[in-house]
Amino acid sequence: METRRGIPVSPGICLGEAVVLGHEDLRIEVRTILPENVEAEIHKFDSAVARVVEEITQEITRFGDTLRITRQILESHRGMVTDPGLREEIVSRIRDSHQSAEYALTLVLRGYHKRFEQMESEYLSERSHDLADIERKLLRALLGKQLARLQERGSDAVLVGHNLTPGEAVTLDPNWVKAFAIDVGGRTSHTAIMARALQIPAVVGLKNISELISGGEQVVVDGYTGLVIIDPDSKTLELYRGRATSSRDFYRRLHREIGLPAETVDGYTISLAANIEMPQEIHVALEWGACGIGLYRTEFLYEKGEPDEELHFRTYKKAIRDLKGKYLVIRTLDAGADKFHREAVGGHEHNPFLGCRSIRLCFQRPELLKDQLRAILRASVFGPVRILFPMISSLDELRGARAMLKEVEDGLTRDGIEFNSNIPVGIMVEIPSAALLADIFAREVDFFSIGTNDLIQYCLAVDRVNERVAHLYQPAHPAILRLVAGVIDAGRRHGIDVSICGEMSSEPIYTILLLGLGLRSFSVSPISIPTVKRLIRQLNMRDAAEVAKACQQFETSEETLAFIESRVKKFLPDFS
Ligand code: PEP
Ligand code: MG
């Protein structure tokens, strides 16, 4: 038995047989043709394109509308394959240089591939994977090779690989591929998004799992904790079998409750929104019943470079349209530290979490924030959008950010471009100074979003990503409860919305406490919506208030946790 830990990117537990994704090498050597065969070679190319188009169309039909992201990927592949410019380049190589169709195709596509790969923008460089996919598809068709489909098997399969391109992902049959364990990637990688869209457990960033596993081994993938266990012993297997069954049953039951309102027994309506990192996750959020997007982390747009205003605008406009009237809270650039953006942050910092990150970076590079704000404002005419500034630690920073917003608004007005001039503006309350001054901030913003992930880190001086001090990272710490209670209270007194978007709000154990502290708006990971909603629907606000009152008297996290656990058991005996 061997255990590896990676980044959990899609929840759930799966036990299955490892299938290692092989790399199909279709590299083409230099090959020329006789001049008299030119027309036949062009015809061969056109026939291959027609076959690939048919293959893609069949795949689109197979997936139907069940998986919108897959459909989008396939449709973009079909568009690339039939692009007249691509045909022209290939045909002229066949005609003028007498290159074989395969060789011409490889040269042209690899040229594009290289250019895309080097692009700074993550969005564009991700397109290089799509190019590799269509190259493989066209070469297979030209060489008369069948797609080496992974064989269907009796048991559930855990797909293990170095990486999973969108083209590979869409050929997988979700009836038997039940989990991913992948060497590379993070929360925003294609694999992560696909796994969340397919709603199967996935762990990425496992470094060399594809070398450790040769195929056929029993593997456990725990998409909650990021653990991957190879060849588990019988005791571990038993344990995870139990967890997998209860997790599956639990979600199946919850899925039936999606249409029910998030309302307490005594009639308080709670707003339950979702946190997303990529706009492609919107449909998962809506599927699980989100009332809006309470936190859209926009860092993925910057991961490999700086997006221009147009890319921002197109992305936001599409997200707003997909939400069909439900609100979207766009958080401005929060790069740095755990969300590292090499180019912009620039150079080494001894304390990146306390360094030039997030809004601080935006003050040093105002154009970064201005481009984003201009795009958000332009998109604001398409639906309800709110702006959320991260890492605000002082009133000066808030005023500085607002001044930049005003400048951008004035520019749009001068240019005669329409925008919502009353766009709600809020701050992440994630630095203790902002929490302590919440009553002052509340006079100058429209809403608060409490970021407990950072608030805990900065208040307790515990690095949120350091395993060695993970035991000190305590959401139930009395100091955290005091800060959170103070912010909720300040918001209530000033009549502004207060939401919590840190992971604490996704953890059902804290739902009763947060409701009792007066929280009426949660923003959680999409998959947590039904669990939190179920709890809300079984609770009574008077009981929640009593729990919160008691918790505020405790002096340690342990006391608080033990008390909440006992109350949750008492009020919700069937909640596991
Ligand atoms: C937080 O800090 O709680 C938060 C929601 O933001 P992030 O996790 O993106 O820092
Ligand atoms: Mg944060």
Side-chain angles (χ1 to χ4, degrees):
M1 177 164 111
E2 198 166 346
T3 302
R4 292 289 149 132
R5 187 185 284 276
I7 307 164
V9 292
S10 182
I13 289 170
C14 169
L15 293 79
E17 188 187 328
V19 175
V20 182
L21 200 64
H23 285 290
E24 199 180 6
D25 194 359
L26 297 171
R27 208 163 303 135
I28 299 301
E29 302 304 329
V30 182
R31 226 194 90 199
T32 51
I33 53 164
L34 293 172
E36 58 267 35
N37 291 340
V38 161
E39 290 313 315
E41 200 67 11
I42 294 172
H43 178 69
K44 189 170 106 183
F45 173 72
D46 286 337
S47 311
V49 168
R51 267 203 305 285
V52 170
V53 167
E54 197 188 311
E55 185 188 303
I56 297 177
T57 308
Q58 278 171 9
E59 272 166 3
I60 292 175
T61 319
R62 191 154 65 92
F63 282 101
D65 278 330
T66 51
L67 219 50
R68 187 132 29 104
I69 178 174
T70 307
R71 196 191 177 95
Q72 283 163 1
I73 292 170
L74 289 169
E75 278 169 354
S76 78
H77 285 190
R78 190 166 55 185
M80 288 187 207
V81 170
T82 50
D83 182 68
L86 178 71
R87 182 182 185 275
E88 205 179 298
E89 276 191 65
I90 291 169
V91 166
S92 73
R93 280 175 177 275
I94 298 174
R95 197 163 266 143
D96 306 336
S97 315
H98 299 159
Q99 289 173 351
S100 71
E102 298 87 358
Y103 187 52
L105 170 81
T106 299
L107 287 185
V108 171
L109 282 182
R110 298 245 161 130
Y112 280 126
H113 187 271
K114 222 184 201 106
R115 268 173 270 155
F116 272 91
E117 210 175 28
Q118 287 162 354
M119 300 246 183
E120 287 295 301
S121 135
E122 183 190 27
Y123 175 80
L124 291 175
S125 75
E126 276 290 339
R127 302 283 73 75
S128 68
H129 295 306
D130 295 294
L131 283 166
D133 275 337
I134 67 160
E135 182 191 352
R136 268 196 297 271
K137 279 184 176 141
L138 281 167
L139 280 178
R140 260 188 239 117
L142 281 167
L143 298 168
K145 288 193 179 213
Q146 287 298 315
L147 175 66
R149 275 189 193 287
L150 295 165
Q151 288 302 303
E152 191 169 329
R153 52 200 69 215
S155 56
D156 291 347
V158 171
L159 199 79
V160 179
H162 180 68
N163 197 1
L164 188 63
T165 68
E168 284 163 342
V170 297
T171 61
L172 303 174
D173 186 342
N175 289 321
W176 64 276
V177 174
K178 298 292 189 198
F180 297 155
I182 303 290
D183 290 347
V184 296
R187 278 200 64 78
T188 59
S189 62
H190 260 314
T191 317
I193 298 157
M194 286 298 297
R196 291 198 285 271
L198 287 162
Q199 294 175 37
I200 62 175
V203 178
V204 302
L206 284 154
K207 300 198 173 81
N208 63 344
I209 195 91
S210 67
E211 288 165 20
L212 281 175
I213 293 179
S214 49
E217 296 95 329
Q218 275 271 8
V219 176
V220 171
V221 175
D222 185 338
Y224 297 109
T225 60
L227 286 185
V228 171
I229 306 167
I230 308 161
D231 286 329
D233 57 30
S234 54
K235 211 167 131 217
T236 312
L237 205 57
E238 220 29 61
L239 178 78
Y240 275 95
R241 263 199 197 116
R243 284 189 190 165
T245 312
S246 45
S247 157
R248 247 190 328 266
D249 291 350
F250 184 58
Y251 278 105
R252 213 169 280 146
R253 285 199 303 276
L254 287 178
H255 206 265
R256 291 188 222 122
E257 298 171 15
I258 282 169
L260 301 175
E263 201 180 279
T264 61
V265 171
D266 45 351
Y268 286 84
T269 300
I270 307 300
S271 139
L272 251 184
N275 296 343
I276 59 162
E277 296 178 36
M278 306 280 283
Q280 290 93 325
E281 293 171 78
I282 286 176
H283 78 278
V284 183
L286 293 179
E287 191 191 324
W288 284 106
C291 67
I293 300 299
L295 172 66
Y296 171 19
R297 295 177 164 105
T298 54
E299 289 71 57
F300 92 95
L301 279 167
Y302 300 76
E303 256 184 5
K304 287 193 183 155
E306 290 159 22
D308 60 9
E309 185 188 320
E310 277 317 300
L311 178 56
H312 276 298
F313 173 67
R314 279 199 311 276
T315 312
Y316 304 149
K317 179 177 165 190
K318 182 164 185 325
I320 295 164
R321 288 239 156 109
D322 288 348
L323 278 162
K324 299 192 177 81
K326 295 198 158 114
Y327 68 88
L328 174 67
V329 178
I330 303 180
R331 184 177 70 188
T332 60
L333 178 63
D334 188 27
D338 55 324
K339 308 176 196 78
F340 198 61
H341 169 29
R342 275 153 300 168
E343 293 78 13
V345 176
H348 174 76
E349 289 186 312
H350 280 296
N351 273 315
F353 279 102
L354 305 180
C356 180
R357 54 170 300 205
S358 193
I359 200 79
R360 301 167 182 182
L361 175 69
C362 293
F363 287 132
Q364 291 198 0
R365 304 264 326 271
E367 74 285 359
L368 280 176
L369 185 58
K370 284 188 191 163
D371 281 353
Q372 188 174 22
L373 289 174
R374 201 173 143 98
I376 298 173
L377 286 171
R378 281 171 59 204
S380 68
V381 295
F382 298 102
V385 179
R386 304 174 196 172
I387 294 174
L388 178 61
F389 291 120
M391 285 281 292
I392 296 288
S393 63
S394 70
L395 214 50
D396 290 342
E397 279 170 338
L398 169 64
R399 288 179 183 161
R402 290 206 80 127
M404 253 196 252
L405 178 65
K406 175 81 174 56
E407 215 181 291
V408 172
E409 287 180 337
D410 291 347
L412 286 171
T413 307
R414 265 196 313 275
D415 296 342
I417 297 172
E418 245 192 297
F419 63 94
N420 173 9
S421 55
N422 285 317
I423 194 161
V425 173
I427 56 166
M428 290 284 296
V429 181
E430 55 184 345
I431 295 185
S433 57
L436 289 166
L437 299 181
D439 55 333
I440 295 176
F441 279 105
R443 296 188 206 125
E444 302 197 15
V445 292
D446 301 301
F447 66 96
F448 285 150
S449 189
I450 307 179
T452 46
N453 303 344
D454 277 314
L455 189 61
I456 297 167
Q457 150 165 281
Y458 292 124
C459 177
L460 304 182
V462 181
D463 181 343
R464 63 190 263 187
V465 291
N466 184 342
E467 287 284 310
R468 293 175 71 190
V469 288
H471 61 288
L472 300 174
Y473 189 90
Q474 298 167 352
H477 193 290
I480 301 299
L481 298 193
R482 243 185 230 192
L483 288 181
V484 169
V487 178
I488 295 173
D489 194 48
R492 188 187 47 75
R493 278 186 284 117
H494 288 85
I496 65 167
D497 284 347
V498 180
S499 171
I500 294 193
C501 61
E503 286 305 307
M504 186 178 180
S505 65
S506 296
E507 289 181 38
I509 184 81
Y510 298 116
T511 308
I512 189 166
L513 169 61
L514 294 175
L515 283 176
L517 289 176
L519 191 74
R520 298 292 175 264
S521 174
F522 293 65
S523 190
V524 303
S525 56
I527 199 85
S528 304
I529 293 173
T531 329
V532 174
K533 192 204 287 182
R534 176 180 277 195
L535 268 169
I536 290 169
R537 290 183 52 78
Q538 294 177 57
L539 288 170
N540 178 315
M541 208 54 94
R542 204 186 46 247
D543 295 333
E546 267 170 29
V547 169
K549 198 164 162 216
C551 289
Q552 285 174 287
Q553 311 304 318
F554 295 128
E555 292 170 5
T556 65
S557 311
E558 289 75 28
E559 285 170 279
T560 305
L561 278 175
F563 182 75
I564 312 177
E565 263 167 31
S566 70
R567 293 291 103 172
V568 170
K569 279 206 185 94
K570 179 175 168 228
F571 295 128
L572 312 167
D574 68 332
F575 186 77
S576 51

